[in-house]
Amino acid sequence: MATSSTFFSDYGLLWYLEKLDKEEFKKFKFLLNDEVVEPGRQKIPWGEVKKASKEDLANLISKYYPEKKAWKVTLKIFDKIGLKHLCQQATAEMSSIVQTMKPEDTMEVEGGEEAVLGDGTEYKSHIQAKFGTMRNKTHLLGEPEDFYHKIIQENQELLEHLFDVDVKTGEHSPLTVVLQGPAGIGKTTLMRKAMLEWAEGNLYQQKFAYVFYLNAREINSMREMSFVQLLSKYWPSREGPIERIMSQPGQLLFIIDSFDELDFAFEEPDSELTNNRTQDHPVSFLISSLLRKAMLPESSLLITTKPTTYKKLKSLLKSPRWVELAGMSKDARKEYIFQFFEDPEWAIQAFRSLRNNEILFNICQVPLLCKVICTCLKQQMEKGADITVICQTTTALFTCFISSLYTLDDISSPPLPNQFQLKNLCYLAAKGIWTMTYVFYKDNLKKHGLKHDDISVFLNMNILKKDLDYENCYTFTYLHVQQFFGAMFYVVKGNWQVKDLSYQPFEDLNQFLDSEDIHLRQMKYFLFGLVNEYIIKQLEKIFKCKMSLDLKWELIEWAGILANSGRPPAELRLLELFYCLYETQYEPFLIQVMTHFKTVDINICEKIHLHMSSFCLKYCSFLQTVKLSANMVGEEMLMSPDEAWQIDCDHITQCWQNFFSVLHTNEFLRELELFNSNLDELATKILYEELKHPNCNLQKLLLRFVSFPDNCKSVFNALTQSPNLIHLDLKGSDIGDKGLKLLCEDLKHPECKLQNLSLEKCGLTVAGCEYLASVLISNKRLKYLSLADNALGDSGIKLISGTLKQPQCTLQSLELTGCALTSACCLDLGYVILNNSNLRILDLGNNDLQDKGVKILCEALRHPNCNIHQLGLEYCGLTSLCCQDLSSSLSINQRLIKINLKRNAFGYEGIKKLCEVLKSPECKLQILGLKKEEFDEASQKLLKAVELSNPCLTITFDDKNEDESCDGIVEILDKGVGLAWNILTLTTYYAGVEMAASPTPTLTRGYHAPIRSPEDEVTLSCGSPLRTRLRKRHAVTASQGQYITPPHGQYPIPKRAG
């Protein structure tokens, strides 16, 4: 007859392990290593587990987990892996064996299972009695908790695996888990359910011998005691001394529920924390020691909190696992709404209204609030009200909800609050939100002027509720109700001065508005909602008092300061402001606020961001620049086949139309930057329609790292229909050679006015160079072209060079950095330098040109026909061997005023050669790109000496300027009298000054080079005349005539124009 001690060896642990495939066996080992062993027993060394075969592992389990314990551990791991069929089969086999055992063998099994710490029967019975009553509780609104339990049931699996090892990431079982979620989501209910499930033997049976529940509200009422005394409050006397279970802290779990309600600062230094379990300390000190692992560091913690305390809690914990309790999914919310309303038409109307307000729909993920909102909407429908108006904002809906609480049903109803009581309640609410205080005790209420009778009034109205588990403990019925009355404080405080209370920071409206703390956001939204005149009239009717009208002007002033602070608000700050403005739904106010904004920078990664941004931007009229990043918008809505979810598609279409309408409604809007975005077909189509609108004055369109569904075809088509668009930047966008072909077709169109084009990092190859070659001849307006970071290679440059060296090519600036070029392309580029007098700027940085290639280029630079003003040779593999050629070119070339030589290994000898010519008066160089610190001390001395001897020269490492590459390219017409500038916003280093005009020209002195003599007075035309004095250079221009082919090895020489 088999006994339990021989069961696995005789009947098949090995047989069960053989059923596992390679991946399952690997997971089994990983989870086995994470098992907590009983006191007095050793853990299987990981080294032995890791290398063990299935037979070896079976023997190890039998050795380290004797008797029935081995059986339980194995089945537990099978269950985690998801092998339910093996669990069932093994359980049936084990039951069969136990039935055939002799009585003495059965006793042996039971004795071997007895826990070292005691079975804790009395404690578990106590827990069952305490938490079992939750099944019979009802909601505040009188509905049984069946609905709530359904939501909790969905989180059951989450609860079971909170402390599991993460097989995917390799993260071991955590000692601390934080479960966070918004107020009312069900955190406390879930924790009480966890206690009940553990006590009934359904949860954590193999992981934790004892689980303790510590509620913040109860902890707040405790004073000084020892940690043993703290736990003894929950410990039945018949279980024996509680100290004995602390000898094995690894088997203890402490649940700290509602951390956000703890009234503790947690400011104790780590060095002062205690691990003494019997010494008396303030309870705050004990909890701090427990959280920060000074007390019982091997124990496990499960903490619940609102997201608002994330920073505070994170600073206390060591390696926690953060888990989000999300509440009802979108589908669950939809299902609940359609079940709540018996009339299908009402259900669709309610769902549509809520779905069109993402904030309200997100609030509905909290089960209790979803029910409150649906109840409120149903009451309004019964009255024949338009719920689409009510659902426009959270302020409107909660005004409606508060109104229902104030409505008297009959004469016997309790009295309504007077103005003094209302004022005190608003003060209490605002201060509570500011300090993250959501639980109020009787003494605290009394301090704020709310006595017993006052409390009763608000309790009867369901504005406040009393905690039935903890004496003299009160909260607002919902956090949103507290936030609403908190916002009311700023409206009523002008009429009723606070008495007998010291001034608090939150009373300063500007200080409140300037705060970026997330726990204040909803109260801010409500505050802006109280600007709406219709809402104010409703509240005056409800509260029978006059509301302050000063709030509106204070908010307008604050928003104006934010917009005109010298730099545009950060993305998150701007979105928060848009949320606030949306709550107003008051057009005169919105127009006054948005008038201040000239630049906006928006990051749209959710539907709600698009909704809020598009709503606010339509009230702008003086925008000049819009920056937008758009991702993950509309995917779920557009993919859903359900008719009800079509609401999203229609709504998102309207949002994009409102957003991009700024292109034709803002006459001063000149720049749109779209970056790191993934536009769908719908958004792309709307953008295209706006770009070709006759009132669109956009000049600069940046589409950086943007993914388009049609290879940018629709946007390219807009080039021929947008007469003001002169600048297009496609950096990092996935157009490829196929998209380039489409672009080139539009670039050759006579109506295309584009002057600056950036195709940096666009995935272009040599195949695309053929398309570009034809454009560079036919398009006479294009002045700047960037092909940086495309694998064009020498072959690609050869194709382009054939066009560039034609005198008919009008390109003035070409950027070829990082194009996989070698010295083999330098002869072709040399021909371009000689034959194209229009080309002023050439950047060849980050290419393997080496000394050989630069020597070829230098030969062209020394030629009198060379008209290059700026040359980039950064990181080109150069050494001192090419410095003599560079020096010669700098000495001879009188037009070259800037050269970038950074990140090249010139060494001392090379720097010495360069410095000799840089000191010479023949050298006209103004900017030398070098990082002096990269060279030895002797070289640095030479460079510093050059700067002292040549005040016109600047040696700089950080000389890159965004405007230099694109806006600096202008058409320069030498008329003998002045220079004509034909674009609105420009920057030039040609004359040693920087000028910007948008829309009124201004002139500032550039840091790049001083103005030298001789000086001539010239006129800069940019909408209006602007006079300044600057150095005038006469450029040698190539004729449009004969192209002379030289003998082999020599450069072609174009005829001079007179």
Side-chain angles (χ1 to χ4, degrees), residues 419-458:
Q419 294 183 3
F420 182 75
Q421 291 169 328
L422 178 64
K423 179 266 296 181
N424 287 337
L425 183 75
C426 292
Y427 185 91
L428 177 76
K431 183 179 179 182
I433 295 298
W434 180 267
T435 60
M436 290 192 287
T437 303
Y438 312 111
V439 181
F440 306 94
Y441 298 91
K442 199 166 187 177
D443 291 344
N444 191 256
L445 294 175
K446 186 177 180 180
K447 179 181 176 182
H448 288 81
L450 294 171
K451 300 178 182 178
H452 177 76
D453 292 341
D454 305 321
I455 297 172
S456 297
V457 171
F458 293 117

Side-chain angles (χ1 to χ4, degrees), residues 430-715:
K431 183 179 179 182
I433 295 298
W434 180 267
T435 60
M436 290 192 287
T437 303
Y438 312 111
V439 181
F440 306 94
Y441 298 91
K442 199 166 187 177
D443 291 344
N444 191 256
L445 294 175
K446 186 177 180 180
K447 179 181 176 182
H448 288 81
L450 294 171
K451 300 178 182 178
H452 177 76
D453 292 341
D454 305 321
I455 297 172
S456 297
V457 171
F458 293 117
L459 287 174
N460 291 331
M461 296 180 63
N462 285 331
I463 291 174
L464 293 179
K465 66 177 179 179
K466 185 175 182 180
D467 194 315
L468 300 178
D469 292 328
Y470 306 103
E471 190 176 0
N472 296 325
C473 181
Y474 302 86
T475 64
F476 284 82
T477 48
Y478 308 102
L479 178 58
H480 281 76
V481 172
Q482 181 179 350
Q483 292 162 333
F484 187 91
F485 280 102
M488 283 277 296
F489 166 76
Y490 298 95
V491 180
V492 302
K493 71 170 186 174
N495 293 320
W496 306 304
Q497 295 299 319
V498 178
K499 297 178 181 179
D500 302 325
L501 289 171
S502 60
Y503 183 82
Q504 298 291 322
F506 72 89
E507 296 183 51
D508 185 333
L509 180 61
N510 285 324
Q511 190 169 343
F512 168 61
L513 293 172
D514 288 336
S515 174
E516 297 183 28
D517 292 331
I518 61 172
H519 69 277
L520 300 177
R521 284 182 184 172
Q522 185 58 57
M523 191 161 82
K524 285 184 188 178
Y525 302 160
F526 282 139
L527 179 65
F528 275 79
L530 297 178
V531 167
N532 187 289
E533 288 190 356
Y534 177 74
I535 297 291
I536 287 293
K537 288 178 181 178
Q538 276 189 293
L539 293 175
E540 288 179 341
K541 183 178 178 182
I542 293 169
F543 299 125
K544 295 181 172 42
C545 64
K546 195 71 175 173
M547 299 290 172
S548 172
L549 298 177
D550 295 336
L551 176 66
K552 177 173 67 175
W553 305 111
E554 291 181 81
L555 294 180
I556 290 174
E557 182 182 1
W558 174 80
I561 293 173
L562 180 67
N564 298 310
S565 60
R567 56 192 176 98
E571 294 173 4
L572 291 176
R573 196 78 195 278
L574 186 62
L575 276 174
E576 182 183 330
L577 176 62
F578 284 172
Y579 275 61
C580 292
L581 295 176
Y582 180 83
E583 280 293 315
T584 68
Q585 294 291 316
Y586 187 43
E587 188 168 324
F589 177 83
L590 289 161
I591 292 174
Q592 284 183 288
V593 170
M594 295 310 296
T595 297
H596 294 291
F597 285 89
K598 297 176 177 59
T599 299
V600 292
D601 190 344
I602 305 166
N603 184 14
I604 295 178
C605 52
E606 296 178 27
K607 177 193 167 187
I608 189 171
H609 299 157
L610 174 63
H611 181 50
M612 299 301 165
S613 302
S614 63
F615 174 82
C616 294
L617 289 181
K618 68 183 179 183
Y619 293 101
C620 290
S621 53
F622 294 100
L623 280 176
Q624 296 176 14
T625 302
V626 175
K627 296 182 180 181
L628 167 68
S629 175
N631 271 299
M632 299 183 295
V633 176
E635 291 182 10
E636 176 188 352
M637 286 68 77
L638 294 174
M639 288 166 53
S640 175
D642 195 313
E643 182 179 351
W645 290 99
Q646 183 64 29
I647 297 167
D648 280 323
C649 182
D650 298 339
H651 183 240
I652 212 166
T653 301
Q654 185 62 51
C655 285
W656 277 124
Q657 288 173 342
N658 289 340
F659 190 100
F660 286 127
S661 67
V662 299
L663 294 179
H664 77 265
T665 58
N666 288 257
E667 61 175 313
F668 300 111
L669 183 60
R670 297 293 183 266
E671 179 177 339
L672 171 63
E673 179 177 347
L674 199 59
F675 59 97
N676 295 327
S677 299
N678 184 13
L679 291 188
D680 55 33
E681 187 175 352
L682 171 67
T684 304
K685 180 180 178 182
I686 294 171
L687 172 61
Y688 165 63
E689 294 297 329
E690 289 297 332
L691 285 172
K692 67 177 186 177
H693 195 284
N695 293 334
C696 176
N697 294 320
L698 199 71
Q699 293 184 350
K700 194 172 182 179
L701 178 61
L702 291 84
L703 304 174
R704 293 182 169 180
F705 299 96
V706 177
S707 177
F708 289 94
D710 60 352
N711 281 103
C712 271
K713 182 178 180 180
S714 56
V715 175

Side-chain angles (χ1 to χ4, degrees), residues 175 335 381 448 511:
L175 287 178
E335 181 184 356
M381 286 179 172
H448 288 81
Q511 190 169 343

Side-chain angles (χ1 to χ4, degrees), residues 302-335:
L302 176 53
I303 307 163
T304 69
T305 187
K306 296 184 182 74
T308 52
T309 57
Y310 172 80
K311 287 184 179 179
K312 180 180 180 181
L313 185 54
K314 184 181 179 183
S315 66
L316 301 175
L317 304 179
K318 296 180 180 179
S319 304
R321 173 182 290 177
W322 298 86
V323 180
E324 188 78 24
L325 192 60
M328 290 198 294
S329 65
K330 291 182 179 180
D331 288 333
R333 280 173 260 170
K334 175 187 170 186
E335 181 184 356

Side-chain angles (χ1 to χ4, degrees), residues 146-214:
D146 293 343
F147 159 62
Y148 210 29
H149 273 298
K150 180 181 178 182
I151 304 303
I152 294 299
Q153 193 62 40
E154 294 177 0
N155 294 307
Q156 181 67 33
E157 185 176 348
L158 173 70
L159 194 62
E160 292 173 354
H161 299 292
L162 286 177
F163 290 93
D164 284 357
V165 65
D166 192 328
V167 178
K168 292 182 179 179
T169 63
E171 179 190 359
H172 286 271
S173 178
L175 287 178
T176 303
V177 174
V178 179
L179 190 64
Q180 62 178 3
I185 203 74
K187 300 183 294 293
T188 294
T189 304
L190 190 60
M191 292 303 97
R192 294 181 175 186
K193 179 177 175 61
M195 289 298 297
L196 192 58
E197 290 291 319
W198 172 79
E200 292 178 347
N202 302 320
L203 184 66
Y204 301 147
Q205 295 306 293
Q206 301 300 318
K207 188 169 286 290
F208 303 118
Y210 290 92
V211 182
F212 291 91
Y213 177 82
L214 304 175

Side-chain angles (χ1 to χ4, degrees), residues 96-121:
S96 175
I97 292 169
V98 171
Q99 290 173 7
T100 62
M101 285 182 179
K102 296 177 181 180
E104 56 269 25
D105 292 330
T106 306
M107 290 296 293
E108 179 186 347
V109 173
E110 293 172 354
E113 178 113 288
E114 184 178 351
V116 172
L117 301 181
D119 58 13
T121 303

Side-chain angles (χ1 to χ4, degrees), residues 244-260:
R244 67 185 180 86
I245 71 168
M246 295 189 192
S247 62
Q248 297 296 332
Q251 295 197 13
L252 303 180
L253 169 64
F254 295 97
I255 295 176
I256 300 178
D257 189 22
S258 303
F259 171 84
D260 50 281

